[in-house]
Amino acid sequence: RRVSIIDYKTNRSVPESVENSPVEYITQLALYRHLISDIYPTREVRCLLLWTSAPKLVDIPQYLLDEAIAAVNNG
């Protein structure tokens, strides 16, 4: 029913909020989501960042992924 993409990050500093995550990480996950959605069109695709130094697992909101893919398409 769902596909989860988890990207492991080893940065020493973990952002305080998901909105402060590096834009390139969000964009990378947005592109992965776009490709995986073509493979699994009927499934929800979740994208998460796993900060290994904390450890902290962060679910990336759909709106951030949508904004990132729109920026790629417009850029």
Side-chain angles (χ1 to χ4, degrees):
R1 295 179 294 194
R2 179 184 314 163
V3 176
S4 295
I5 302 168
I6 302 173
D7 192 1
Y8 293 75
K9 296 300 181 189
T10 58
N11 302 42
R12 290 188 184 265
S13 63
V14 178
E16 290 293 321
S17 70
V18 68
E19 288 83 3
N20 292 333
S21 297
V23 68
E24 56 269 16
Y25 294 172
I26 304 297
T27 302
Q28 179 183 14
L29 285 169
L31 291 168
Y32 291 165
R33 181 185 69 156
H34 180 74
L35 295 171
I36 294 296
S37 294
D38 286 345
I39 297 169
Y40 300 105
T42 62
R43 297 187 184 180
E44 173 192 359
V45 179
R46 287 178 62 202
C47 295
L48 303 102
L49 287 171
L50 177 59
W51 301 96
T52 59
S53 65
K56 183 178 180 182
L57 183 63
V58 178
D59 197 344
I60 308 301
Q62 297 298 314
Y63 80 90
L64 286 178
L65 298 164
D66 292 342
E67 288 174 2
I69 204 74
V72 168
N73 288 332
N74 293 328

